[in-house]
């Protein structure tokens, strides 16, 4: 049973920092596995479709992306949650799209945010394997929203 962690709110310094890279020694560790599990439990409990480690007061470059259909995006793809360590967006499509976003750290606010329609992401798995994947549409939006958290940026700053 993973703990539900407290979520940092807008205005707290932790959300403004540029998060640190996860070090090689941390891969394959109980610690990283437990952090990811607790982040997933916290995200799920709040019906989120993504979460970033700084939101649970851990300033490290670790995110979870878990698109699923929801009231705002009824045709969003149902995807297995992906844990991305040290994610890097390698390429943003020229084409952008507007979509409504919310944030676990900014309750009761929603807004239209312009994002790249397609992104190419390189990340490591919890075991340290390097993966490169292309996402489009709502999953691409979540990736951009979560990577922003790792760089201390909230969606409200992009409206
Ligand atoms: O990072 C977070 O605070 C989690 C957000 C992720 C999100 C990214 C892009 C667009 C919307 C949300 C939460 O999931 S906020 C809850 C939510 C869920 C679906 C659609 C809108 C808001
Ligand atoms: Zn957020």
């Amino acid at each position: 049973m993973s703990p539900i962690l407290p979520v940092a709110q807008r205005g707290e310094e932790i959300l403004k920092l540029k998060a640190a890279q996860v070090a090689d020694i941390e891969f394959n560790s109980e610690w990283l596995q437990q952090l990811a599990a607790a982040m997933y439990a916290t995200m799920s409990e709040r019906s989120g479709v993504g979460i970033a480690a700084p939101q649970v007061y851990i300033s490290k470059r670790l995110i979870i992306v878990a698109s699923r259909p929801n009231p705002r995006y009824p045709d969003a793809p149902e995807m297995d949650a992906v844990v991305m360590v040290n994610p890097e967006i390698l390429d943003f499509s020229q084409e952008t799209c507007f979509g409504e976003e919310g944030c676990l750290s900014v309750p009761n606010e929603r807004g239209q945010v312009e994002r790249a329609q397609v992104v190419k992401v390189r990340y490591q798995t919890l075991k340290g394997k390097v993966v490169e994947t292309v996402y489009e549409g709502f999953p691409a939006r979540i990736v951009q929203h979560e990577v922003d958290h790792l760089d201390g940026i909230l969606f409200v700053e992009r409206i």
Side-chain angles (χ1 to χ4, degrees):
M1 188 67 177
S2 294
I4 306 293
L5 303 173
V7 175
Q9 296 299 293
R10 183 185 191 179
E12 294 189 62
E13 281 309 307
I14 189 90
L15 293 176
K16 300 174 185 169
L17 303 177
K18 184 168 175 49
Q21 289 272 325
V22 172
D24 288 348
I25 189 144
E26 297 181 84
F27 286 96
N28 258 326
S29 69
E30 260 299 293
W31 144 252
L32 209 60
Q33 176 65 41
Q34 284 169 2
L35 172 58
M39 283 170 63
Y40 182 80
T42 304
M43 176 193 73
S44 304
E45 201 259 345
R46 294 181 175 225
S47 314
V49 292
I51 193 166
Q55 292 183 279
V56 292
Y57 297 95
I58 303 289
S59 193
K60 285 179 184 285
R61 303 186 80 79
L62 171 59
I63 66 174
I64 296 179
V65 176
S67 167
R68 55 173 168 66
N70 59 84
R72 278 162 229 90
Y73 298 83
D75 51 2
E78 181 86 45
M79 66 188 271
D80 290 336
V82 183
V83 177
M84 299 185 181
V85 183
N86 299 329
E88 205 183 332
I89 298 177
L90 303 176
D91 188 49
F92 295 86
S93 62
Q94 199 85 332
E95 188 192 358
T96 63
C97 58
F98 279 86
E100 184 176 275
E101 299 192 12
C103 185
L104 302 178
S105 300
V106 186
N108 314 316
E109 276 201 58
R110 292 270 187 258
Q112 290 291 319
V113 181
E114 185 175 16
R115 300 283 189 183
Q117 173 66 15
V118 184
V119 290
K120 185 176 182 182
V121 202
R122 178 189 299 150
Y123 64 89
Q124 289 173 272
T125 66
L126 287 171
K127 294 184 179 352
K129 185 165 74 86
V130 177
V131 176
E132 271 187 30
T133 313
V134 174
Y135 289 99
E136 62 176 315
F138 188 53
R141 176 174 299 278
I142 302 172
V143 170
Q144 293 171 81
H145 178 111
E146 303 310 336
V147 171
D148 267 357
H149 275 304
L150 303 183
D151 295 329
I153 300 165
L154 295 180
F155 83 95
V156 288
E157 298 164 52
R158 291 193 180 279
I159 289 177

